[in-house]
Amino acid sequence: LKMREVELGCIFIANKAQKITKWKKLDAVLEAAYTSFYPGVIFDPNKEEVLVWEEKVISAETEILETLCYDIFWRG
């Protein structure tokens, strides 16, 4: 995994873990990241590269959570 996907996976996990406001969907997180990483490029959620990026972030999220479950806390 690239550091960019790991970073977005962590942001997505933190976004889902906070309780003050309703968490944003992955599309909103990717759109914010897209405008940050690629300024001036129009975000289109239906582009193939965005869909691939979405899968990579979900994969990173899963890997991060599995690592945390093994190293930091126990499941359940």
Side-chain angles (χ1 to χ4, degrees), residues 11-50:
I11 291 170
F12 193 52
I13 292 168
N15 183 33
K16 289 164 70 172
Q18 58 89 22
K19 302 286 184 192
I20 295 174
T21 59
K22 184 177 178 184
W23 57 276
K24 294 171 180 45
K25 294 183 178 183
L26 183 56
D27 290 342
V29 173
L30 287 178
E31 183 175 3
Y34 206 82
T35 56
S36 176
F37 294 140
Y38 307 111
V41 177
I42 309 258
F43 177 77
D44 180 9
N46 298 321
K47 285 172 99 173
E48 186 172 339
E49 64 186 41
V50 174

